[in-house]
Structure formats: C-alpha cells, structure tokens
C-alpha cells in the first residue's frame, strides 16, 4: 500500500497509512513522515507490531533519545530508552508510571533542553477510557487575544518537575519552533510554576487565563487508542493529557511503552 497521510481533526493530528515500522523505513518515506509531523504535530501509526528495539530504532531516526528522570524505576528491563506507562502491577508493585500526564503538559519541559517529541506505543488497553488529549499550541498562540500576548511580551517562565523539584528551567512563555519558525504557547498547568518578573498573584491569574484559552475544544484532538497504535507528538508545540478517570479501577489495564526524543533549548 502506498504511504498516505490522512488528517484526523481540524485541531491537529494525522494518520500515517501504509508504513510498517518494524522494518527500516526508506529515506524518502522518512522525509514524508518528518514533513507530516511538522505540519500536523501528532502522527498516528495503526496496527503496528513492534519490539522494544524496533520502537527505539524508529524513534532514533528523529534524533538521540532522552532518558526520563523516572526511568530508574520505570524503564523496561534491558531497554533504558523505554519508559513504561502502565496500570499493571506485579507482586503488588506498579510496573511503570501509573499516572503519567494527569494535567496538560509537554514532556520534560523542566529540562534546559526539553524533549523534541514522544512516541507512545499501545500494548494493552482497557475496554473504555484512557484516551490521550492533544492540544495545538500553534493555533492557540495565533488565536490568543492581543491583550494576553501583550501582558506576556517576551517574558520567560519557571518550569519544574513534579517528581523532582530540583529539576528547574526558565523558558520563553511563547517559543519559536526550531524547524518551522512558528510561534506557540509553551507554558502548561502541570510543570509551569510562575512567569518571571511578575508578582505571584499576577502570574497565577495570567497563566490561568492562558490555560483556559488553550483548553478550548477547537485546539484539541482526543485520541481513542487501539492496540498496536504508535502515536508520535511534537512536544515543542503540543500539550497532552491522559484521561485517568478509571485509574483506581483494578480491571482497568492500560500498558504502554514511551520513547522520548531529545530536543533543544527553547527560544
Ligand atoms: C504522557 O504524558 O507521556 C503519557 C500520556 C498517556 O499516558 O496518555
């Protein structure tokens, strides 16, 4: 089947049809996938059957991989590049991170060099729930009221990890995509602490107005997972959130492998 790109929603996202990621992909195919990723920000590859090694190899086509700070206790044995996101337990202990992404965020935004993108591969899924929401921060920036753009100006914000508060970085509230040159909103409710140079209440009020704007349905695509889906999102211009409404239900099994591609310093 020839490679095809099919748009998934008005907000963002496209399905890549006709590519078996368990085999090395040709350079011409890579160029098309890379272009589609820049244009649509989230790519969905259906019906994949990937070993951890194959997922790592495909991810590495886009750059070196990042080790997640939680990877010490949540990585796949023998594959430190793979973060396990899972509700499975073994001997009463979680086998991976149970509640990754409870709020809108961009992966590793608290690093000096946040992630370029993440690839999440669905291995086992519940009968309902567990969607991942993706929000287009390029569109959100373009449609942000001028009043809010002016209030932020060129300011930066402080980001920190929720699990390790010593991991901190300051990044522009509005960043420029290093490959497309397009501006997007980079702050997020999970990892942004405050806007630099503002009183705490003013910063909190401004961030909360920006978040309300970013969470409008016109910017959002909600991905309903099927087993074998591999979803690749651009952390430089997309926020994401996991639907955790059934997290405490013992029959709710959602087991996934994530690779995270290293990015560069936001500007
Ligand atoms: C993540 O935040 O990387 C995980 C998203 C998900 O589990 O849907």
């Amino acid at each position: 089947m020839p490679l095809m790109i099919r748009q998934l929603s008005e907000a963002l996202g496209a399905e890549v049809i006709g590519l078996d990621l368990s085999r090395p992909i040709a350079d011409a195919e890579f160029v098309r996938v890379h272009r589609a990723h820049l244009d649509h920000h989230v790519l969905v590859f259906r019906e994949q059957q990937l070993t951890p090694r194959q997922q790592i190899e495909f991810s590495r086509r886009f750059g070196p991989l990042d080790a997640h700070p939680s990877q010490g206790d949540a990585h796949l044995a023998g594959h430190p590049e793979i973060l396990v996101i899972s509700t499975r337990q073994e001997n009463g202990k979680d086998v991976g991170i149970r509640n990754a992404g409870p709020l809108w965020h961009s992966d590793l935004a608290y690093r000096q060099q946040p992630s370029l993108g993440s690839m999440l591969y669905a291995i086992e899924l519940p009968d309902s729930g567990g969607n991942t929401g993706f929000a287009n921060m390029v569109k959100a920036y373009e449609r942000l009221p001028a009043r809010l753009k002016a209030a932020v100006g060129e300011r930066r914000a402080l980001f920190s990890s929720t699990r390790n508060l010593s991991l901190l970085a300051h990044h522009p509230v509005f960043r420029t995509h290093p490959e497309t040159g397009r501006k997007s909103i980079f702050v997020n409710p999970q990892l942004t602490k405050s806007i630099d140079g503002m009183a705490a209440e003013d910063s909190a009020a401004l961030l909360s107005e920006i978040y309300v704007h970013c969470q409008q349905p016109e910017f959002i695509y909600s991905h309903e997972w099927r087993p074998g889906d591999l979803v690749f999102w651009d952390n430089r211009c997309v926020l994401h959130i996991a639907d955790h409404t059934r997290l405490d239900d013992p029959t709710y099994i959602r087991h996934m492998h994530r690779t995270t591609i290293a990015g560069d310093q936001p500007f």
Side-chain angles (χ1 to χ4, degrees), residues 180-208:
T180 64
R182 297 179 78 184
K183 280 198 147 201
S184 63
I185 297 174
F186 192 59
V187 285
N188 69 74
Q190 184 163 309
L191 303 172
T192 305
K193 302 301 157 196
S194 55
I195 298 180
D196 294 357
M198 293 185 89
E201 318 80 77
D202 296 341
S203 156
L206 182 52
L207 284 172
S208 126

Side-chain angles (χ1 to χ4, degrees), residues 85 100-101 105 107 120 131-132 225 233 240-242 254 258:
I85 294 180
H105 69 286
D107 291 327
L120 192 58
N131 283 16
T132 305
W225 291 90
W233 62 87
H240 62 282
I241 188 169
R254 182 178 187 269
R258 194 182 91 188

Side-chain angles (χ1 to χ4, degrees), residues 1-5 15-20 29 32 47:
M1 184 191 288
L3 196 161
M4 276 173 17
I5 311 292
E15 194 174 322
V16 180
I17 299 161
L19 211 50
D20 174 358
E29 291 170 329
R32 285 197 62 197
E47 295 177 3

